Amino acid sequence: MPGTRDDADPGTPDVSVAVCGLGLMGLPIAFRLLAAGYRTIVWNRSQDRVRSAAERGAEVAPTPAEAAARADLVLTLLASPEALFEVVFGAAGVACAAPKALAQAGTIACADMTALAARLPDGWDLLDTPVAGSVPQAAQGGLRLLVGADDEVFARWSPVLARLGEPVHIGPVPNGSALKQVLNAANAPMVALLAEAVALGERLGLDRALLLDELERSRIGALIRRKRAMVETGRYPADSRLGLFAKDMRLARLAGEAAGAPMTMVAAALALAEDAVAAGLADLDYSALVGYRLGHIRGGPCG
């Protein structure tokens, strides 16, 4: 079954979108597309999240190839380059079909994005589209989409992406992934600093609420506002998993090494994150680094 008619306008719900990968970000993104009236086709390995999308009106595809065959635009949100390449180029992958466009929205290395581009069949529009934001922003349509693409490709598909947040044209592929590495390199040390600051305050006998009040007024205030409820309760349900945080820090460190710019602060944040992951906290929110640094959690789903 083909996608939609050839003259469909990407700014209208006449365009069909396949979402491959319904993890923490993929499912709310599918919900946003459905709410905007787009015909939305979903594929995911685990069926519980597929059922949630189907209940909202999504079509379910048994394979990535079938999802792509019904769609104009395929949006992939996968946790690793291995998963991405399997979904795109595997035996029942997206490349078996002929969608008009592929938007790769996971966080991967620039080299992996370049390799993806090199293997795609001629005639596809490719958008290198990592996102800035997490589950609340995905649910509210408040993501920033860092798009590496040709000028015409960006202009053609940005009306669809605008239903998810603010698409920003970064330049050609793989500039979207490159900027995501830079942003991660800047943001990660703040999480490690928050963990150390709260641990220090506790050991100095400061009141937790007072400490968080003052930290919220400091230069890491935005992070405190996002994660304060988790820190106060000591419960860390994920809107951005610690395991993926560690993966992203490894990518930022590797990007720095490749560019001749050692990432000293990223390496420090990565070391703390890897320790926490090794302690069994990979599926918690990355703010669980605070509880880990305090010694309050040592594994388990919510501390």
Side-chain angles (χ1 to χ4, degrees):
M1 179 177 180
T4 61
R5 64 181 189 273
D6 290 341
D7 61 349
D9 177 0
T12 75
D14 291 329
V15 167
S16 57
V17 183
V19 180
C20 293
L22 297 178
L24 285 175
M25 298 293 285
L27 188 59
I29 281 174
F31 289 165
R32 289 290 304 178
L33 292 167
L34 288 163
Y38 285 97
R39 179 187 175 199
T40 303
I41 306 98
V42 298
W43 173 86
N44 195 59
R45 284 191 173 88
S46 63
Q47 292 303 298
D48 56 334
R49 299 180 77 80
V50 168
R51 285 190 290 272
S52 295
E55 289 169 359
R56 299 281 188 99
E59 299 177 26
V60 176
T63 65
E66 177 65 20
R70 303 183 203 175
D72 297 304
L73 172 66
V74 177
L75 184 65
T76 57
L77 296 115
L78 300 157
S80 69
E82 293 80 13
L84 172 66
F85 277 68
E86 177 61 28
V87 165
V88 175
F89 299 114
V94 169
C96 297
K100 295 177 182 176
L102 172 66
Q104 193 298 117
T107 300
I108 62 174
C110 296
D112 290 320
M113 191 66 219
T114 300
L116 176 71
R119 289 183 61 180
L120 284 181
D122 293 337
W124 289 32
D125 288 349
L126 177 62
L127 300 100
D128 172 25
T129 317
V131 298
S134 56
V135 172
Q137 291 75 37
Q140 297 159 12
L143 296 170
R144 282 180 66 82
L145 299 103
L146 312 174
V147 185
D150 294 343
D151 291 349
E152 291 183 1
V153 171
F154 177 78
R156 185 175 299 126
W157 297 105
S158 58
V160 178
L161 299 180
R163 304 296 183 130
L164 309 177
E166 181 180 1
V168 183
H169 193 200
I170 310 302
V173 174
N175 281 14
S177 290
L179 181 56
K180 185 63 183 291
Q181 309 307 326
V182 173
L183 294 178
N184 282 342
N187 292 334
M190 288 196 301
V191 181
L193 288 171
L194 171 61
E196 291 199 350
V198 174
L200 176 61
E202 181 163 289
R203 283 160 177 73
L204 293 175
L206 296 175
D207 176 78
R208 175 75 61 81
L210 181 149
L211 173 63
L212 291 173
D213 285 344
E214 295 307 314
L215 285 172
E216 194 168 333
R217 293 183 175 90
S218 76
R219 297 194 179 197
I220 62 169
L223 177 61
I224 299 291
R225 286 187 288 275
R226 286 177 56 200
K227 302 299 182 181
R228 180 165 181 159
M230 295 187 191
V231 174
E232 287 184 326
T233 63
R235 300 182 66 82
Y236 302 94
D239 64 44
S240 186
R241 289 192 179 95
L242 180 58
L244 292 179
F245 175 89
K247 181 267 291 184
D248 290 348
M249 291 312 95
R250 284 191 288 273
L251 290 178
R253 184 188 64 187
L254 291 171
E257 290 173 356
M263 298 283 99
T264 305
M265 297 300 293
V266 167
L270 174 59
L272 179 60
E274 288 182 330
D275 285 348
V277 168
L281 309 183
D283 289 334
L284 299 186
D285 189 79
Y286 65 70
S287 60
L289 286 179
V290 177
Y292 177 73
R293 187 67 177 77
L294 287 168
H296 292 172
I297 53 175
R298 295 295 179 188
C302 295

